[in-house]
Amino acid sequence: MRPLVAAPLLVGAYGVARITDGFDGSRGPGLAWTVGHLFFLAALVLFVRIFGRLRTMAAGGVTATAGYAAGLAGALALAAQFTIDIVVGFLSADHDAMGPRFEAVKAIPGVEPFVYTVVPLLFYVGMVALVARLAAGRRVPWWSPALVLVQAVLPLASKDLIPLAAALLLLAFVPLLRLRPAQPVVLARSSLSTGPF
């Protein structure tokens, strides 16, 4: 399955697992907590590949390179956040035991902005920038970056909307499926050449 399809599906699976995990009134620890977080971590691996491809599709440049760098930084921060969540889940007997462990992690200087609040947002900023760059070059329709932006904002209203956001992201990626990397230019050998190089 292509990363452009698999990544949104994995994000959607995380969203469904998260909703399922909350049926008992609390989230984590447990199977749904762990599996859901593993789904998202797998999606992040694919997004790193996607960001690289989008940068290539956009033929580099300042905007695409900045978007790529932002996306990677955000993906690394989210990977750290979700890894911490999994570890805390494994170490905790119940939901109440998770709270103090999270507080201890967030009390470490720099962890809060770099792992939980500021840097993770760069993942979405980079994604929007890369798809917007392709739209500016008329390689994808205008609604692709619009949908990427909407899906990034939806979870801010409610994380229960993550499955819907994932569906919108998959729709936004549909025009990207037909794009191919630019072919290298092959220079013909000069007719004046008298022998091999």
Side-chain angles (χ1 to χ4, degrees):
M1 186 181 296
R2 292 186 177 186
L4 286 166
V5 175
L9 290 179
L10 286 167
V11 172
Y14 160 68
V16 171
R18 184 182 179 280
I19 292 172
T20 302
D21 189 26
F23 284 164
D24 61 357
S26 63
R27 291 189 169 87
L31 182 61
W33 173 271
T34 302
V35 171
H37 280 68
L38 289 174
F39 280 147
F40 198 86
L41 283 174
L44 288 175
V45 173
L46 296 179
F47 276 118
V48 169
R49 293 179 57 190
I50 290 170
F51 290 160
R53 180 180 177 186
L54 295 184
R55 182 176 179 271
T56 300
M57 296 301 102
V62 174
T63 302
T65 300
Y68 176 70
L72 286 186
L76 288 173
L78 285 170
Q81 178 184 144
F82 275 68
T83 300
I84 291 170
D85 287 355
I86 291 173
V87 172
V88 167
F90 275 127
L91 295 176
S92 303
D94 53 34
H95 179 76
D96 291 337
M98 295 172 70
R101 288 191 167 94
F102 278 126
E103 290 175 5
V105 171
K106 292 181 179 181
I108 300 172
V111 168
E112 184 84 25
F114 281 97
V115 178
Y116 286 98
T117 56
V118 179
V119 179
L121 295 177
L122 295 179
F123 174 78
Y124 303 99
V125 171
M127 192 186 308
V128 172
L130 285 165
V131 180
R133 178 66 186 84
L134 290 171
R138 299 182 182 277
R139 303 209 64 193
V140 297
W142 64 268
W143 49 263
S144 280
L147 286 180
V148 172
L149 178 60
V150 171
Q151 68 84 31
V153 172
L154 276 179
L156 297 178
S158 171
K159 290 186 178 180
D160 288 343
L161 296 175
I162 289 175
L164 173 59
L168 293 179
L169 183 60
L170 180 59
L171 182 60
F173 280 174
V174 168
L176 298 171
L177 293 171
R178 62 179 174 79
L179 295 184
R180 296 290 181 271
Q183 296 299 316
V185 177
V186 179
L187 298 178
R189 183 180 296 181
S190 171
S191 60
L192 297 178
S193 175
T194 57
F197 289 104

